[in-house]
Amino acid sequence: MAARTKPTTADATPEVVYDFDGWTEEDESKAIAAIAPEVKYIIVERSFVGKFFDGTIVKATLALSLDDVDALQAEYGNEIDQFRSLIQVVGGDENVKALSKQDISDVAQMAMKYFEVLQRIQGATRPE
């Protein structure tokens, strides 16, 4: 157990006592699972459409040229900023504002899913 309350006087709020010594890998796994990002996505034509747990929808193109990829990698050092740039192209400033209001772990999860889909598309075999 990570925390428990320590009784105080009847009119005071109980003091929280944190149990750092009793914290286990299992406790950590459970805590992380309880707050893990919950994002979903679909592919519509040549766009990645993501949905955050609060219902916010963002869109990013899956049709990138080599020049687009080079420019993204040159300008932005991480996937989150690259993803933010891509959703601005498809959805404009409102799309970016919606993304910016999300928790960073949710945005990172969404960006990871986007780039995984892009990688799968690049490796897909086209019909003859």
Side-chain angles (χ1 to χ4, degrees), residues 3 6 19 33-34 36 40 44 56 58 63 69 71 77 101 103 105 117 119:
K6 181 178 176 183
D19 183 10
K40 297 178 180 181
V44 179
T56 299
V58 294
V69 173
K101 292 178 182 176
D103 291 339
S105 59
V117 167
Q119 188 174 36

Side-chain angles (χ1 to χ4, degrees), residues 40-127:
K40 297 178 180 181
Y41 70 91
I42 58 174
I43 299 168
V44 179
E45 296 176 1
R46 297 182 68 120
S47 293
F48 175 97
V49 182
K51 180 180 177 183
F52 291 96
F53 81 99
D54 67 356
T56 299
I57 304 283
V58 294
K59 299 176 185 173
T61 184
L62 290 167
L64 300 173
S65 70
L66 192 52
D67 288 341
D68 293 335
V69 173
D70 288 345
L72 281 171
Q73 290 176 340
E75 191 168 345
Y76 304 105
N78 65 65
E79 287 184 347
I80 292 174
D81 289 336
Q82 292 171 3
F83 184 65
R84 185 185 330 217
S85 177
L86 289 168
I87 68 160
Q88 175 141 30
V89 170
V90 175
D93 290 336
E94 289 303 313
N95 210 13
V96 173
K97 285 179 187 175
L99 180 76
S100 296
K101 292 178 182 176
Q102 299 299 319
D103 291 339
I104 187 68
S105 59
D106 293 349
V107 174
Q109 181 74 10
M110 188 71 75
M112 185 179 75
K113 288 181 182 288
Y114 170 83
F115 286 107
E116 285 174 355
V117 167
L118 194 60
Q119 188 174 36
R120 287 177 37 215
I121 291 168
Q122 292 168 350
T125 304
R126 300 221 181 246

Side-chain angles (χ1 to χ4, degrees), residues 1-6 13-24 27:
M1 176 187 263
R4 60 182 171 78
T5 56
K6 181 178 176 183
T13 304
E15 177 186 347
V16 176
V17 178
Y18 296 102
D19 183 10
F20 292 99
D21 295 328
W23 185 251
T24 66
D27 292 333

